[in-house]
Amino acid sequence: AGTATGFGGVNTPAFHAKLSANQSISNESLTKVAANTELFDTDNAYDNSSNYRFTPQTAGKYIIYSSVLVDSASNNNNIDYIYSEIQKNGTAITFNMLDFRSDRDGRKFTVSQQTAVDMNGSSDYIEVFAIGKASYSADLKFSSSNTYFGGYKIITWAL
């Protein structure tokens, strides 16, 4: 077997952002996750103050991930379902859903997901949205304890 040298690289652009505080949401209303606290943002490609979107200026393949904790703030076990999606340029490219309508025993649940996506490096952007539906007029929120969004460029090379 031979030895390969000269390989390497970095997974950038990369970012990871989370909620700084709970985010109130309306029942049955698809809402953008306002992850406003950056833990890191290597290329200043994540907007953490207005659009809450990742717009890398480097073309390539990216791994994008999210986790959204939907909580029934009223402490009632009345969540019917929760749903989260990752959107590219305003269109869902992956989603995850937990449905409890046959067993209304939910108060707090996390939906997580990840996907690989091609980005053009000029205008493509990624956002995360989620929705919760609860019976009995519950106050719903995205909990800051486990709601986050991130991504990184995959290192690629040719032999």
Side-chain angles (χ1 to χ4, degrees):
T3 302
T5 61
F7 290 98
V10 293
N11 294 98
T12 58
F15 79 102
H16 183 91
K18 66 182 196 86
L19 289 179
S20 63
N22 295 337
Q23 178 183 345
S24 295
I25 61 173
S26 297
N27 200 26
E28 291 192 271
S29 178
L30 190 64
T31 304
K32 185 185 295 191
V33 174
N36 60 345
T37 300
E38 292 177 331
L39 278 70
F40 60 88
D41 184 2
T42 64
D43 292 56
N44 199 28
Y46 181 72
D47 176 357
N48 70 329
S49 62
S50 61
N51 287 325
Y52 309 105
R53 67 173 55 158
F54 177 56
T55 311
Q57 297 302 301
T58 303
K61 297 181 184 321
Y62 287 79
I63 297 295
I64 304 295
Y65 59 87
S66 71
S67 177
V68 181
L69 173 56
V70 179
D71 187 354
S72 172
S74 62
N75 291 326
N76 293 324
N77 293 340
N78 61 2
I79 291 181
D80 292 334
Y81 66 85
I82 56 176
Y83 167 92
S84 177
E85 65 186 30
I86 295 174
Q87 293 186 2
K88 176 182 173 186
N89 302 332
T91 301
I93 58 173
T94 188
F95 70 91
N96 197 357
M97 180 176 187
L98 297 174
D99 190 333
F100 307 100
R101 284 177 278 200
S102 64
D103 179 20
R104 289 193 182 139
D105 202 19
R107 185 182 83 80
K108 184 187 313 189
F109 295 97
T110 301
V111 284
S112 299
Q113 58 200 331
Q114 67 180 13
T115 191
V117 61
D118 281 311
M119 304 288 284
N120 67 14
S122 60
S123 61
D124 286 342
Y125 62 90
I126 299 290
E127 302 165 302
V128 174
F129 287 79
I131 187 172
K133 181 191 183 296
S135 305
Y136 317 117
S137 301
D139 295 323
L140 292 175
K141 65 183 177 184
F142 298 149
S143 176
S144 62
S145 66
N146 199 37
T147 299
Y148 55 85
F149 170 34
Y152 54 91
K153 186 174 181 292
I154 301 170
I155 299 170
T156 57
W157 63 81
L159 295 177

